[in-house]
Amino acid sequence: MFDEHSPIYRQIADAIRADVLSGALREDEQIMSTNQYAAHYRINPATAAKAFQDLVDEGVLYKRRGLGMFVHPRAREKLRDQHRARFFSDVVDPMVTEARAIGVSLDDVIARVAELRDGGEHR
């Protein structure tokens, strides 16, 4: 499950975010405890705890005293909003800048997107 490209706690947090975003983890659903997670993936419990704390700080998870960690009721919406903002800043904005630089009109860009939406083949 884990690679050597980023810290394990980040990979854990990213996997949980992805599960929330996809709906595999639902709002108010309990997740494995730190110790269960650590045992299942054979990692240090402190590593899992760091990932969980980061997700609590972000508002993706919340703690119920004595019960464990749960998916925050608005976590999926929050993550979608973050991904949407990142999509525009990382993909759309540079695409528009590039289109302008090479003389492609925004109308042509919009027409191409509409063509792809409607099942048109890639040119």
Side-chain angles (χ1 to χ4, degrees), residues 82-101:
Q82 289 172 351
H83 279 254
R84 179 182 165 89
R86 195 173 14 218
F87 172 76
F88 281 102
S89 67
D90 293 353
V91 177
V92 175
D93 296 351
M95 178 189 64
V96 169
T97 299
E98 176 79 8
R100 285 181 176 144

Side-chain angles (χ1 to χ4, degrees), residues 1-2 8 15 24-25 42 49-50 66-68 87 91 96-97 101 111 113-114 117-123:
M1 170 174 181
F2 304 113
I8 292 174
L25 286 173
R42 299 174 193 236
K50 169 85 171 117
L67 296 176
F87 172 76
V91 177
V96 169
T97 299
V113 170
R117 177 197 62 209
D118 296 336
E121 291 187 25
H122 184 70
R123 291 181 203 173

Side-chain angles (χ1 to χ4, degrees), residues 34-45:
T34 301
N35 289 332
Q36 288 170 325
Y37 208 92
H40 185 268
Y41 291 104
R42 299 174 193 236
I43 60 171
N44 187 319

Side-chain angles (χ1 to χ4, degrees), residues 11-95:
Q11 293 178 61
I12 292 167
D14 288 345
I16 292 171
R17 282 186 205 97
D19 285 346
V20 170
L21 200 54
S22 74
L25 286 173
R26 296 177 315 278
E27 297 176 349
D28 287 317
E29 183 175 343
Q30 186 172 14
I31 65 168
M32 284 191 280
S33 72
T34 301
N35 289 332
Q36 288 170 325
Y37 208 92
H40 185 268
Y41 291 104
R42 299 174 193 236
I43 60 171
N44 187 319
T47 301
K50 169 85 171 117
F52 290 3
Q53 187 58 54
D54 284 357
L55 293 168
V56 168
D57 293 346
E58 292 173 21
V60 174
L61 299 179
Y62 70 95
K63 298 176 189 178
R64 284 189 189 163
R65 188 178 204 113
L67 296 176
M69 294 283 192
F70 294 78
V71 177
H72 192 281
R74 301 222 257 154
R76 190 171 188 199
E77 177 184 344
K78 181 177 190 162
L79 290 170
R80 278 187 172 167
D81 288 347
Q82 289 172 351
H83 279 254
R84 179 182 165 89
R86 195 173 14 218
F87 172 76
F88 281 102
S89 67
D90 293 353
V91 177
V92 175
D93 296 351
M95 178 189 64

